Amino acid sequence: MLKLHKTKGANMLKKVVKLAFVGLAGTMILASSLEARTIRWKLAETWPSTLTPLASPPVKVAEMVKKMSKGKFIIKVEGKEKHKAPLGILDMVKGGQYQMGHSGSYYWKGKDINTVWFTTIPFGMTADEQYAWFYYADENHNGKPDGMEYMEKVYSKFKVLSFPGGNTGVQMGGWFRKPINSVSDLKGLKMRIPGLAGEVMAKLGVKVTNIPAGELYTSLDRGVIDALEWVGPGMDIKMGFHKVAPYYYTGWHEPASEMQFLVNKRAFDRLPKEYQEMLITAMKAAAADMRYENFAMSAKAWAKMKTDYPNIKVKTFPKPVLKAMYKATQEVLQGYASKNKLFREIWENQKAWLKKARPWSMMSEYYYLQASQEIKGK
Ligand code: CA
């Protein structure tokens, strides 16, 4: 009986050991197959793949995650020339044809007006103030950074995640064939200016048109339009606008245009945790990098413009014109806020943050630039 029991026990032990080995081996096979599996994603961007610096962040993200994952997480980037749907990015990422997109949040204002808060608004925040809002402001006192919290809220209905994707800094006010000396000079002016700024200009009597990028130069040259805004010297110089519209105005309407990475929520949730972290880190680094790249491009282009095209006349809109633009901006925002509770909430939140952020911007960058330039006698 004892012997039998012993034998039985020994058999049991053998079985348990055997099972344990099978289990262990099984786990090992599973782990190695996960490691071996290469994840392949596709990203669609609003821009042609040659349009730097806007087209740079997705390429950099793809390079970074490939290196970090030792070649196991591959993102294929497709420019507008391939997918031919520059303003279909949100729909394509939502639908899962692409796991990722790179675009600008304010392009979706027709789907939800609250998307404008994650690009820029006229007379809004600078890039530093806005990045701090995305990642560190907490005017709601709930431990979540305000910008990211609101962006998640607004985009959740599309079942996508949205992340900052690069910043142009202050954009120039645009190229004008004739100078703007008073508010009445804006009446009847035909101008290409998109987004909320277009609505503001329309309130001031401007005939706002939207013309595809490829036709802008000819339209300005032939007088189909009298003025247009694009980005800043780095991107404007290639378009040649300075040759046909010599008045180059400083900015007010897009003080910190933020690009955007879109990620299909389901695809993101299915990624291994470490790949999720790689992706988030890469997007943040690539976004910051675009800001540096754009700054360098604009500084170089502006130096070249000044020497090669001395006819360019840099101007700032007269104070009464800026005042009218500011007033019209408040009216446009108020109009949306009266119809949309969340719009009002985000607006109030940004205003509360700016109460802290702006005095610090003035105290640091603004006074430093002013003082150091005065000392040097420039
Ligand atoms: Ca622009």
Side-chain angles (χ1 to χ4, degrees):
M1 207 173 148
L2 192 72
K3 207 180 164 185
L4 188 68
H5 179 75
K6 248 184 155 176
T7 316
K8 235 184 167 180
N11 279 344
M12 278 286 277
L13 191 67
K14 269 186 195 165
K15 265 188 187 169
V16 168
V17 170
K18 206 174 162 188
L19 271 173
F21 268 113
V22 171
L24 190 66
T27 313
M28 281 161 70
I29 288 164
L30 198 72
S32 65
S33 73
L34 230 182
E35 259 173 43
R37 189 161 63 100
T38 302
I39 293 170
R40 291 183 192 279
W41 275 21
K42 284 201 304 178
L43 180 152
E45 55 186 347
T46 287
W47 347 102
S49 53
T50 49
L51 193 72
T52 53
L54 304 189
S56 303
V59 175
K60 289 193 173 138
V61 163
E63 283 168 2
M64 280 188 265
V65 296
K66 188 182 172 188
K67 278 186 197 156
M68 287 193 270
S69 67
K70 299 193 173 69
K72 295 285 161 55
F73 185 10
I74 304 293
I75 300 170
K76 192 174 162 227
V77 178
E78 286 184 6
K80 166 189 137 172
E81 70 280 2
K82 182 92 191 267
H83 57 73
K84 305 213 164 42
L87 297 179
I89 307 291
L90 176 57
D91 285 337
M92 294 192 294
V93 176
K94 183 184 166 197
Q97 292 103 303
Y98 290 84
Q99 289 80 14
M100 281 184 82
H102 189 250
S103 190
S105 187
Y106 66 0
Y107 290 133
W108 324 124
K109 101 179 170 56
K111 292 181 192 288
D112 187 334
I113 187 63
N114 285 305
T115 55
V116 299
W117 294 115
F118 313 112
T119 306
T120 189
I121 56 160
F123 298 103
M125 296 185 271
T126 65
D128 271 343
E129 292 162 351
Q130 190 164 282
Y131 272 123
W133 179 70
F134 274 122
Y135 292 118
Y136 292 100
D138 187 12
E139 294 303 313
N140 291 332
H141 308 290
N142 60 5
K144 295 177 190 168
D146 295 341
M148 294 307 286
E149 183 185 2
Y150 283 123
M151 192 146 67
E152 194 181 337
K153 200 171 195 172
V154 169
Y155 279 92
S156 63
K157 69 172 173 201
F158 303 114
K159 299 197 168 44
V160 299
L161 299 170
S162 174
F163 299 87
N167 201 291
T168 65
V170 178
Q171 294 200 6
M172 289 295 281
W175 298 92
F176 291 71
R177 285 155 60 93
K178 287 183 195 151
I180 302 299
N181 296 318
S182 67
V183 181
S184 61
D185 286 343
L186 292 173
K187 294 216 162 53
L189 188 91
K190 287 170 281 175
M191 182 173 186
R192 179 266 177 195
I193 178 166
L196 280 185
E199 293 180 42
V200 172
M201 282 302 223
K203 264 188 183 283
L204 299 174
V206 172
K207 285 187 185 140
V208 177
T209 58
N210 210 353
I211 294 169
E215 292 161 33
L216 282 175
Y217 179 85
T218 328
S219 305
L220 192 60
D221 187 30
R222 291 185 186 159
V224 176
I225 49 174
D226 307 303
L228 58 80
E229 73 78 52
W230 191 237
V231 181
M235 293 188 70
D236 293 7
I237 196 169
K238 295 180 223 163
M239 305 289 276
F241 304 136
H242 51 277
K243 294 173 195 162
V244 288
Y247 298 93
Y248 199 20
Y249 276 86
T250 54
W252 62 279
H253 67 305
E254 294 199 43
S257 295
E258 184 66 41
M259 306 301 118
Q260 164 192 55
F261 282 111
L262 288 166
V263 184
N264 179 286
K265 175 89 169 57
R266 198 163 163 258
F268 184 83
D269 289 343
R270 289 168 70 186
L271 276 184
K273 246 251 130 7
E274 59 270 41
Y275 288 5
Q276 291 180 348
E277 289 300 321
M278 284 175 200
L279 187 62
I280 287 171
T281 306
M283 288 189 293
K284 203 168 179 180
D289 193 74
M290 190 200 113
R291 198 174 155 202
Y292 316 146
E293 186 185 7
N294 183 64
F295 186 97
M297 272 178 68
S298 278
K300 290 177 198 171
W302 180 229
K304 190 175 156 59
M305 277 180 175
K306 276 192 297 181
T307 52
D308 294 7
Y309 305 99
N311 292 342
I312 296 174
K313 293 171 186 68
V314 178
K315 292 186 89 67
T316 295
F317 291 108
K319 270 210 179 108
V321 174
L322 282 168
K323 267 190 182 160
M325 287 167 170
Y326 182 77
K327 190 168 165 272
T329 299
Q330 301 309 303
E331 286 165 11
V332 168
L333 295 175
Q334 193 59 52
Y336 286 116
S338 66
K339 288 177 277 178
N340 189 314
K341 214 175 132 239
L342 186 58
F343 191 92
R344 175 168 294 285
E345 190 185 324
I346 304 176
W347 189 19
E348 294 300 331
N349 179 277
Q350 283 203 351
K351 280 196 277 192
W353 170 240
L354 255 184
K355 266 194 183 152
K356 288 175 187 154
R358 184 53 55 88
W360 175 240
S361 294
M362 296 299 290
M363 185 81 150
S364 53
E365 301 266 337
Y366 182 80
Y367 286 121
Y368 166 73
L369 288 172
Q370 215 175 30
S372 65
Q373 289 307 96
E374 269 171 26
I375 290 293
K376 290 179 205 163
K378 283 172 193 167

